[in-house]
Amino acid sequence: MDAELPEAPVSRPAAGWEDAVALTGFILVAVGQASNQVLARGLAGSVPPFSLAFFRWSIIAIGLAPFAIAAIRDGKIPLAQNLWPILAAGFLGMFLCGGPVYIAGITTTAIHIALIFALSPIMVLLISAALGIEHIGPLQWLGTALALAGALLIVSGGHLETLTQSSAAWGDLLVVGAMLGWSGYTLVQSRVAPRASLLARVSLFSAAGALCSLPPALQEMWATPAAVFNARAFEAYVFAGLVPGLMAYAGFAWLGARFGSVRTSLVLYVAPIASALLSWVILGEPPKLIHLVGGLLILGGVWASLRK
């Protein structure tokens, strides 16, 4: 015991350095994730949405393919047993969170998209409780109520009649559908070939998402080829595939491996802040008081719901 005491001060600089690396990683991953929401709003329908989704997921699938190929060769991803689960995960997490979000960006803001997606842990909790996977305690019910109230405040703009009268609200509802898809993906993906690495599985899920996005993308290519095949669209495809794609997924996997899933989950709280700041700086859309109030309700509710 006495011999171990002098070592404590020596470890503090290393711990401080590790915390700095973690904070930097959280910020970079959060910015990477938020950049897709800013992209959806910034393009505002100028690039066909399903073509953008198709090329984005294709870039991610190809970029991470070495991880998937290695896992398949090592027998960690038996394709025959996992084909339908992979397609289901790709549909829920990639297809539903691809084209529909880019369509929503025409009428709703990046801040709305980020805050609505922040509800995903609440939905995962509710689905898990409904399936008997997890028990919800009083604090978690309170957190759920707060988060849902915050989401309703943001989507309605403080006026419930806008849910049926405003085109912007329909854009928000598209994002709600995408968020529900992401929640389903969160539950499904961890059960698909769990022996394989996250990046190997994301490669296959992205390939499935690209496959699901291909039919509407082909329709866009046929109907508006000039909008699909031009320099601006190409830049959007590459950016979407690299920054909110390869960089964000690889960074999240690295954070999870180095700092654990609990600390990595803090990205949930940083991403909406990053989206608000990027929207302000890049799009000239500063957050409003309703975003602050609704965001606090959502993030506070998520925090409470994740407490045991």
Side-chain angles (χ1 to χ4, degrees):
M1 289 292 293
D2 293 339
E4 295 176 1
L5 290 177
E7 297 182 5
V10 178
S11 64
R12 291 182 66 85
W17 177 85
E18 186 176 86
D19 288 341
V21 171
L23 179 60
T24 302
F26 293 145
I27 293 173
L28 290 176
V29 171
V31 169
Q33 292 176 342
S35 67
N36 190 56
Q37 298 144 11
V38 175
L39 182 70
R41 181 61 172 169
L43 292 176
S46 60
V47 176
F50 289 100
S51 296
L52 176 55
F54 168 75
F55 285 111
R56 179 195 179 197
W57 297 122
S58 296
I59 291 171
I60 296 171
I62 294 170
L64 298 178
F67 295 97
I69 293 172
I72 293 171
R73 287 177 175 173
D74 293 342
K76 295 180 179 179
I77 304 181
L79 287 179
Q81 297 95 313
N82 289 279
L83 179 60
W84 287 110
I86 288 171
L87 288 174
F91 176 81
L92 292 170
M94 281 59 182
F95 175 75
L96 292 181
C97 298
V101 174
Y102 297 133
I103 295 172
I106 300 173
T107 58
T108 194
T109 66
I111 300 174
H112 278 213
I113 297 173
L115 290 175
I116 292 171
F117 261 93
L119 281 173
S120 180
I122 296 287
M123 294 300 109
V124 172
L125 179 64
L126 291 176
I127 295 171
S128 298
L131 296 177
I133 299 174
E134 188 161 348
H135 170 72
I136 298 182
L139 182 60
Q140 292 172 311
W141 277 120
L142 175 62
T144 299
L146 288 175
L148 293 178
L152 186 61
L153 178 65
I154 289 172
V155 172
S156 68
H159 304 282
L160 293 179
E161 62 271 16
T162 61
L163 293 176
T164 57
Q165 297 175 359
S166 172
S167 60
W170 287 108
D172 287 338
L173 293 178
L174 272 177
V175 182
V176 169
M179 180 273 296
L180 292 174
W182 184 260
S183 302
Y185 164 81
T186 302
L187 288 169
V188 170
Q189 65 87 18
S190 61
R191 292 165 172 76
V192 179
R195 292 175 55 227
S197 69
L198 173 63
L199 296 183
R201 290 181 286 122
V202 166
S203 176
L204 295 176
F205 300 153
S206 297
L211 181 64
C212 292
S213 301
L214 182 57
L218 287 175
Q219 192 278 329
E220 293 171 346
M221 295 174 194
W222 177 264
T224 57
V228 176
F229 302 106
N230 61 72
R232 185 165 187 261
F234 177 77
E235 291 171 354
Y237 304 150
V238 173
F239 179 87
L242 295 181
V243 179
L246 291 174
M247 188 191 90
Y249 279 110
F252 191 86
W254 182 82
L255 287 174
R258 187 174 181 85
F259 301 106
S261 58
V262 175
R263 295 180 69 185
T264 303
S265 67
L266 293 174
V267 172
L268 294 170
Y269 304 100
V270 181
I273 299 172
S275 181
L277 293 175
L278 290 177
S279 297
W280 194 349
V281 172
I282 298 175
L283 303 177
E285 295 181 345
K288 300 178 181 178
L289 179 60
I290 197 168
H291 297 133
L292 177 61
V293 175
L296 288 174
L297 286 171
I298 290 173
L299 296 181
V302 170
W303 178 86
S305 72
L306 294 179
R307 305 281 74 77
K308 297 297 184 182

